[in-house]
Amino acid sequence: MTDMAIKKKRPKNLDLPTIRLPLPGILSILHRISGFSIFLLLPVLLWLLQGSLQSPETFAAVKGVLAHPLLKIIALGLIWFYMHHFCAGIRYLLLDLHK
């Protein structure tokens, strides 16, 4: 009987634009997005790092590539994603410790 009472109280409107997530829900989704984007861009970052450490000529080439304004914005976004992912990860570790 209690199972039926619980099922009746569930919302029936699953229209996603009208559902308001609480702030922890939004942060959780952003944590997943930032982790996925870091995972996808990690090979590119490692390739750029390898190129910058090979010789002075390849360092100049990597520096020239990263001088493009669009790539600067992408790099800034990646730094933002990394910092968000790091801080949210610390938050989730603290939540797991019941703090």
Side-chain angles (χ1 to χ4, degrees):
M1 180 88 172
T2 59
D3 292 334
M4 294 300 286
I6 292 173
K7 286 183 181 179
K8 288 182 181 180
K9 292 180 183 178
R10 295 182 69 184
K12 298 191 187 226
N13 179 13
L14 294 178
D15 186 20
L16 292 179
T18 61
I19 295 175
R20 286 197 41 113
L21 278 176
L23 185 60
I26 294 170
L27 289 176
S28 177
I29 291 171
L30 289 176
H31 181 73
R32 291 171 190 241
I33 291 171
S34 66
F36 184 69
S37 62
I38 290 169
F39 176 75
L40 287 180
L41 290 175
L42 188 61
V44 175
L45 291 175
L46 290 175
W47 176 70
L48 287 172
L49 178 65
Q50 177 189 2
S52 70
L53 295 175
Q54 280 180 347
S55 68
E57 293 83 19
T58 57
F59 176 76
V62 169
K63 189 176 177 182
V65 166
L66 291 177
H68 193 275
L70 181 61
L71 290 177
K72 283 184 180 180
I73 292 172
I74 291 172
L76 183 64
L78 188 61
I79 292 169
W80 183 278
F81 279 169
Y82 176 76
M83 291 305 299
H84 172 78
H85 195 75
F86 179 78
C87 293
I90 297 294
R91 176 181 175 266
Y92 290 128
L93 284 174
L94 291 173
L95 284 173
D96 287 343
L97 294 173
H98 303 288
K99 299 287 180 188

